[in-house]
Each structure stands twice: as structure tokens, then as C-alpha cells.
Amino acid sequence: MAPTIRDIARAAGVSVATASKGLNGKGRMRPETRQRILDTARELDFRPNRNASSLTTGRTYTVGLLTRDGYGRFTPPLLGGVEDSLSVDTASLLLCDARRDAVRERHYLDVLAARRVDGLIVTGRATDPAPPLPRSLPFPVLYAYTTSSNPDDSSITVDDEHGGWLAARQLLRQGCRRIAHVTGPISVLAVRERVAGARRALAEAGLELPDELITYGPFAERTGFDAAQKLMADGKVDGIFCGSDQIGRGVADALGGLGVGIPDDVALVGFDNWTLIANATRPGLCSVDMNLYRLGRLAAESLLRAIDGNPEPGIRRLPCSLAIRASCPAPITDSTEWLDDSPLVPDA
Amino acid sequence: MAPTIRDIARAAGVSVATASKGLNGKGRMRPETRQRILDTARELDFRPNRNASSLTTGRTYTVGLLTRDGYGRFTPPLLGGVEDSLSVDTASLLLCDARRDAVRERHYLDVLAARRVDGLIVTGRATDPAPPLPRSLPFPVLYAYTTSSNPDDSSITVDDEHGGWLAARQLLRQGCRRIAHVTGPISVLAVRERVAGARRALAEAGLELPDELITYGPFAERTGFDAAQKLMADGKVDGIFCGSDQIGRGVADALGGLGVGIPDDVALVGFDNWTLIANATRPGLCSVDMNLYRLGRLAAESLLRAIDGNPEPGIRRLPCSLAIRASCPAPITDSTEWLDDSPLVPDA
DNA sequence: GTGAAAGCGCTAACAT
DNA sequence: ATGTTAGCGCTTTCAC
């Protein structure tokens, strides 16, 4: 059996209470005593039972992560950020995948409550507001990436409007004057916000993004491929803002097939900065990065503050940044576009 | 504060001990008493504190998942399987990403020990044998996907030799006689095993896979693209086994550019069954599926048995299956090739 | 069939 | 500066 604090106390010749204080750096005591306790603890390879201590302290240093629909493309970087921020507080992550299933979700909430987690992070596939969790929970909740439709809840998500603005402005800086947009389904909130952002950027340049130049479709290469064919047949577009890197890849392939030069004839900006795709595209696809690792970090930090009694209700939107590549190489002119402080987190 | 078992006992008019037995379905007691206890527990929304009970029972119903290098492309389906198998035992998953960093790994092992997890699953990016964990742990360990170089440990991984065999045989059944192989770095164990499997399949048909027809390179589209150009220039290959779907995509693009018909001139089989890529390829890329969801399930089940005192040392290799698509559409003739019992797990 | 009592490993007042 | 005591929420003998 693993040694208990009693074993340490006995071996160090002190009482259990003193051993506890010694180990936790609390209370006052002779430095040599503390050292002796620490030494014997090391010798016996003592590891205090966290479950026992959380019984008295009331804190478990455990946070749940409930994902509502699986671990998609966007979860891993977010997870990495969450984990990194939690580990500075020596907190751990309990994983729960509810798979869009209300029964599973309910089940997991029970499990998390039974484990007395200190808090919960809820995430999901899209940034669209999600139905809030079914009942009032005995711990603070933070929605990350996805948002809660209840304004009293705390959410941190991507500023897609800003992302759209960044993308369009990059095309403008490349010299594009007639810009089209090929993107995902209009039912997706992020898609609509990116459109709004792109329009704002164009308006700032005295230009427009008319409805005829926007193509909505599934987030897939095919959408980009087909749309690009049509756009080239119709008129003289000189820049395309693609709503995802997959779409961008499809567009690039179509343009390549038509002998249209990228970026000289038509410049391209994608979205997601999915390096696997962006780098496989010829030429490399310039892309908007949602900084999900950062989102994960900030989400965990905010949750830790909520756990400490300082919740931050409302929706916070984080700016995107730009990964410049050859498909739209206009150089960066200010620093806000490259916020990527992520360490190497596997991205695909 | 959350109600304790004492609250339940008092409200139900029984002792704490009886309440405990009633709630856990243990001991003998009047059915009406048990019912009364259960009812009041529900009324008060009582959720027994698992940390407290694990103090006495010695089991935490928590399993750690240590990934040595991030959440890559292969982790999510594996995670899903692990979670599903654990949840039948109402066990939870504690997530630890060591990021190839020995210090982090050591840290997480301490954390997991302090939390008294019942067991640990270790996973990693490649199936290559990994250095075993640094010291003897106070709980059973199971290596999933990656394997341990210590034969006393338990590992469950993919049978890449079988995968290579499946792929080559599918090409043979399509009628191919001169088959080439474009794959990842030869330093990767899985790459070498797939070569061996492909060779076995060809040998069974009285054919060979000479070294000149094997191209090793990074797991990237470019590798496939370049290799395909060369292969078409050199000789009359009529089938290509691609070591990953990314490579397959590159090969398909090159063939398309050269006007080579797929599958009639050259048939293609990929590896990974990464639907996002396989479906984006024209035509759809037939691919070997490693059944990682299933691997995750079996890993968790084996670990649970180890926790119950029945470890299963050694390395177990799970067969692959085949996802037939248009790039090599020869029909299935036996059932072993399509084992995919996964539910819908997000795949990208 | 039910309850009293002890104890799991640890922390925290309160002595001394 | 150190030890005594009580108790966190639960389970588990062992009496009654």
C-alpha cells in the first residue's frame, strides 16, 4: 500500500498535524523539522491522497470538459490551451463527450456533480449559441467556442466578424478591388458574421460585397471548386475570401485547372489556418487563424477566476489573426494580425 | 451546500448506515425502507460524493489517459472508444498531454498517482514501441496504439502488416498486376510493417514488390504527387498502394493532371480512411481503416480487466478493415474486411 | 432488518 | 514550535 501521512509522521518523529503543515508549507516550524518531514516524504515516495484532502478543503482541483459533439477538428488546440492553463493551478481535466445526446449530457452532469468538480467548460462544434445546460449546476460553468444563449452565463468565443474583416482587408491590401466570398451554410452564425466583417472591410475601402458574389454551401472542397468555376466564367473577380481552408483548397484547385494565376490574377484567403490543408494547397493558402489554443487558455483562466468567486458573465469575443502565405502575400503592417502565441500543438 | 448522506438518513428516518446500504443496493432490508431512502434521495437531489466513497472503497473509478505527443489526427476516435467503454463501468477519464516532454510526463504521473487513479492508458502518435514509463506505477498501465518495448507491459495496437496486406490484396482483386507503393518514412515501424504485408499479399499471387517500386517520404501530399509523376514516366504501373490518404490525394491529383484514369488505368488504395480527405479526392479514395474507435474500446476493456486483477501482458494487434471507394472498387468477397462497428465519431 | 461505531487519509482549530 | 482533537462524507464490520 501507498504510504499515508501517518507513515511519514511516524518516520519523521512528529505528529500527523505537524507532518501535514510541513508538507504543505503552512504554519510555523523549525526549518530543520520541515526539512526532515520533506526528506522522509521523498524517501518513502509519499504522494498525498488528493481525494482525501479535497474532502476537507472542499476543492477537488478538477475541472470537467463537456463537449457536446465529439472531438472535432477544433477541439484539440482548445484542449491543449485549457490543459496548460489548468496545470498552473495543478488542476486536472475530466473528459466528457455528450455526442449531441441529451441523455448522455445529463448523465455526465450527474457524474461531474458526484465528483464535485470545481467547474465545467462546455464546448461544441460551432460558435452558435447553444441551449444552456438543463439545470442549475453546483459549480461555475464556462462556455468556450460555443456560447450560451443565456446572457447570465459566461462564454468565450471567436470574433468571426473580426476574422472576416481581417480576411477581406488582406485581399484589399493585396490590391484586389472585386472580391467574392465562397463560404459555408448561411445557417451557421459564424458564416453570417464573417460576411458582415468582410462587408465592413470593403465598405471602409469604398467597395461592396454584393449578394451575387457570395456563394453558400457545405464546408467542403467541392463547394469551392464549383463556385470558382462559376466565378471565373461570369466576371472579373480578383480576390476570393474562402470561408474555410477546405473551400479554399477547392477554389485553388479550380483556378489552377483554369490556368488562373494565384495570387496575381486572383488572390485567395482562407479560414481556419488548418496547416495541413493550407500548406498542401498550391500556392500555400493565406488563412485566418482563430487562435483556439489561446481561446482554451483564456477560457480556463476565466473559469478559475469564477471558481474563486469572480465570475465574468457575458460573451467575450477574441480577435483572430492572419497566417500570411503565398496565395495573398501582402505584408503585415501592424502587429494585431499575428497574435499566435501557441506552442506547437498538433493541428491535424 | 449539497446534501450529504446524513441529510438523507435523517429525512428518511433511518440511520446513516442503513441509508448507505439502501442507496447502494447492499445488505438486506425491507423493500419499503429501501424505497423510502431512494425516494428521499431523489427529492433532495442527492449525489453521493465519490471522493468520499473512494476513500473507503479504495477505488476511484477514474482512469488516466496520457498522450505523449498531443491530440493528433488519431487520438479523437480512440478517445471516443475509451470513453464509451469506461462509461459502462461509470469510470471517468482524466486527460494528460505530456507533449513529448519528459518533465511533463513525470509531473502527470505524479498527479495521477496523487489522485489514485485505478489505471492508465498511454497513447502516442505512432505505433512504434515507446520507452516504458520511467518508474513502476501503483496502478496498471495499458499502451494503446503505441506499444511498450517492455514485453511484460500490455499493449494493444494496429496490425499494420494486415493493413498492408488488405490494401495490396484489394488492388490485386481489382486486377492490378504491377503494383507500386508510395509511403511514409522508412524509420516508422508501421511503414515497414505495411510494406511487409503488401509483399505477403503479392507473394500469394505470385508477384513481387521490388524495392524500386517503393517510394519513402514524408506523410504529405507532395510525396504522393512527386512519386506519381516519376512512376508514370518510368513504366507501366497499374496500381498504387499509398501509405496514407494524404499521399493518396497527392497521387490522385498527379494522375488526374496526367490524364491517367483512376481506377481503370491505375487503381489506388490509401491508408487511414480519413473521410475528409478520402471523399475530397477524385475519385473517392478506397482506404484502409485502422478501426481506432474499436481499438479505444478494447483498450479500455482490457484495462478494466487489469484493474480487476487480470492483466493481459504482451502486444495485441487488431486487424484493419477496408473502406471501398471508387479509386479501387473491387467488391468485398468476405466479411473480415469491414469490421467498422464505430458509431459516428467526428473524424476530422 | 436496522443502527452504533470505527475508520478511510487528510486538514484545521485549538491547545500546549 | 508542536501536538490533540474533531471532522470532511462515506462504507463497513458487528451488535442488537
Side-chain angles (χ1 to χ4, degrees):
Chain A
M1 280 310 294
T4 78
I5 197 174
R6 248 189 294 273
D7 300 323
I8 305 304
R10 194 177 320 119
V14 294
S15 77
V16 174
T18 308
S20 173
K21 283 177 214 150
L23 291 166
N24 297 312
K26 297 198 170 177
R28 247 178 279 293
M29 76 197 338
R30 220 189 270 119
E32 57 210 69
T33 312
R34 170 156 295 151
Q35 198 50 54
R36 185 155 33 94
I37 295 171
L38 257 26
D39 288 346
T40 52
R42 170 147 332 157
E43 262 173 52
L44 302 186
D45 198 29
F46 171 68
R47 235 173 306 281
N49 185 332
R50 284 222 160 266
N51 296 311
S53 59
S54 66
L55 242 195
T56 36
T57 61
R59 289 233 1 205
T60 56
Y61 292 92
T62 306
V63 165
L65 187 133
L66 179 71
T67 164
R68 282 179 152 170
D69 41 18
Y71 311 108
R73 147 91 179 88
F74 304 123
T75 322
L78 196 138
L79 264 182
V82 166
E83 223 187 309
D84 282 357
S85 283
L86 289 184
S87 65
V88 311
D89 201 26
T90 60
S92 307
L93 242 202
L94 223 41
L95 212 59
C96 306
D97 180 3
R99 309 265 171 80
R100 300 162 192 265
D101 178 346
V103 176
R104 290 179 71 108
E105 181 167 307
R106 160 102 214 184
H107 164 73
Y108 274 125
L109 290 176
D110 284 344
V111 169
L112 291 169
R115 292 186 181 268
R116 303 292 192 269
V117 294
D118 293 333
L120 174 64
I121 293 179
V122 178
T123 187
R125 187 184 300 274
T127 58
D128 297 67
L133 296 177
R135 54 203 174 65
S136 87
L137 276 340
F139 41 72
V141 176
L142 195 138
Y143 295 76
Y145 192 57
T146 185
T147 56
S148 167
S149 53
N150 179 348
D152 297 337
D153 291 335
S154 302
S155 310
I156 301 188
T157 188
V158 170
D159 188 343
D160 283 290
E161 202 270 350
H162 174 252
W165 178 83
L166 264 185
R169 209 193 43 162
Q170 175 70 1
L171 289 167
L172 289 168
R173 268 203 320 221
Q174 182 70 24
C176 306
R177 307 299 296 168
R178 194 167 163 77
I179 294 173
H181 186 27
V182 184
T183 185
I186 198 172
S187 57
V188 173
L189 174 63
V191 164
R192 300 194 299 277
E193 292 181 336
R194 292 171 195 174
V195 168
R199 286 204 155 119
R200 178 162 63 87
L202 291 193
E204 286 167 8
L207 297 173
E208 285 193 328
L209 175 56
D211 284 337
E212 316 88 75
L213 285 184
I214 306 183
T215 309
Y216 299 97
F219 276 121
E221 288 189 30
R222 180 107 228 140
T223 302
F225 194 88
D226 293 348
Q229 309 270 17
K230 274 217 195 69
L231 285 169
M232 290 306 106
D234 286 6
K236 39 195 172 312
V237 160
D238 59 4
I240 305 180
F241 167 27
C242 307
S244 78
D245 288 343
Q246 284 178 74
I247 290 175
R249 170 71 187 268
V251 168
D253 282 0
L255 296 186
L258 294 171
V260 176
I262 305 173
D264 293 336
D265 298 331
V266 175
L268 251 42
V269 174
F271 212 104
D272 290 348
N273 192 22
W274 190 355
T275 51
L276 189 83
I277 295 189
N279 286 329
T281 304
R282 298 291 115 190
L285 187 63
C286 176
S287 187
V288 175
D289 193 309
M290 297 190 283
N291 294 314
L292 293 172
Y293 172 83
R294 186 161 169 267
L295 176 58
R297 287 200 67 110
L298 294 174
E301 285 164 13
S302 176
L303 179 63
L304 289 175
R305 286 191 293 271
I307 289 170
D308 283 340
N310 304 304
E312 296 159 350
I315 298 184
R316 179 168 165 204
R317 295 177 198 282
L318 298 183
C320 298
S321 57
L322 208 48
I324 312 272
R325 293 194 187 85
S327 73
C328 189
I332 295 177
T333 54
D334 56 64
S335 63
T336 61
E337 297 166 35
W338 194 234
L339 293 168
D340 194 356
D341 54 354
S342 349
L344 232 41
V345 173
D347 211 17
Chain B
M1 279 310 295
T4 78
I5 199 173
R6 251 191 290 273
D7 300 322
I8 305 305
R10 193 176 320 119
V14 295
S15 76
V16 173
T18 308
S20 173
K21 284 176 211 150
L23 291 166
N24 297 312
K26 297 198 168 178
R28 248 177 275 296
M29 77 193 351
R30 225 190 266 117
E32 58 210 69
T33 311
R34 170 156 294 151
Q35 197 52 53
R36 187 155 32 92
I37 296 172
L38 257 26
D39 288 346
T40 52
R42 170 146 334 155
E43 264 172 51
L44 301 188
D45 199 29
F46 171 68
R47 237 173 305 283
N49 184 332
R50 286 220 160 270
N51 296 313
S53 61
S54 66
L55 241 196
T56 37
T57 62
R59 289 233 0 204
T60 56
Y61 292 94
T62 306
V63 165
L65 188 133
L66 178 73
T67 163
R68 283 180 151 171
D69 40 19
Y71 311 110
R73 146 89 181 92
F74 304 123
T75 323
L78 196 139
L79 263 183
V82 167
E83 222 188 311
D84 282 357
S85 284
L86 288 184
S87 66
V88 312
D89 202 27
T90 60
S92 305
L93 242 202
L94 223 43
L95 213 58
C96 308
D97 180 2
R99 309 263 173 82
R100 300 162 191 266
D101 177 346
V103 176
R104 291 179 69 109
E105 182 169 306
R106 161 100 213 186
H107 165 73
Y108 274 127
L109 289 176
D110 283 345
V111 169
L112 291 169
R115 293 186 180 268
R116 303 294 193 267
V117 294
D118 294 333
L120 173 64
I121 293 178
V122 177
T123 189
R125 187 184 300 273
T127 59
D128 296 68
L133 296 177
R135 53 203 175 68
S136 88
L137 276 338
F139 40 73
V141 176
L142 196 138
Y143 294 77
Y145 191 60
T146 184
T147 55
S148 167
S149 54
N150 179 347
D152 296 337
D153 291 336
S154 303
S155 310
I156 301 189
T157 188
V158 170
D159 187 343
D160 283 289
E161 201 272 349
H162 175 251
W165 179 83
L166 264 184
R169 209 193 43 164
Q170 175 70 1
L171 289 166
L172 289 168
R173 268 202 321 220
Q174 182 69 23
C176 305
R177 306 299 294 169
R178 193 166 165 77
I179 293 172
H181 185 27
V182 184
T183 186
I186 198 172
S187 57
V188 173
L189 174 64
V191 164
R192 301 193 299 275
E193 292 182 334
R194 291 170 195 174
V195 168
R199 286 201 156 124
R200 178 162 63 88
L202 291 192
E204 286 167 7
L207 297 174
E208 286 191 331
L209 175 54
D211 283 337
E212 316 89 75
L213 286 183
I214 306 184
T215 310
Y216 300 97
F219 277 121
E221 289 191 30
R222 181 105 228 139
T223 303
F225 194 89
D226 293 347
Q229 309 270 19
K230 275 219 194 69
L231 284 168
M232 291 304 106
D234 287 5
K236 37 193 175 309
V237 160
D238 58 4
I240 305 180
F241 167 27
C242 308
S244 79
D245 288 344
Q246 285 179 74
I247 290 175
R249 171 70 187 271
V251 168
D253 281 1
L255 296 185
L258 294 170
V260 177
I262 306 173
D264 293 337
D265 297 332
V266 175
L268 252 42
V269 174
F271 212 104
D272 291 347
N273 193 23
W274 191 354
T275 51
L276 189 86
I277 294 189
N279 287 329
T281 304
R282 296 292 111 186
L285 187 62
C286 175
S287 187
V288 175
D289 192 310
M290 296 189 283
N291 294 313
L292 293 172
Y293 172 83
R294 186 159 168 269
L295 177 59
R297 288 200 66 110
L298 294 174
E301 285 164 13
S302 176
L303 180 62
L304 290 176
R305 286 191 293 271
I307 290 170
D308 284 339
N310 305 303
E312 297 159 348
I315 298 184
R316 179 167 165 205
R317 295 176 197 283
L318 299 182
C320 298
S321 57
L322 209 48
I324 312 273
R325 292 195 187 83
S327 74
C328 189
I332 294 177
T333 54
D334 56 64
S335 61
T336 61
E337 297 166 36
W338 193 234
L339 293 169
D340 194 357
D341 54 354
S342 350
L344 233 44
V345 172
D347 213 18

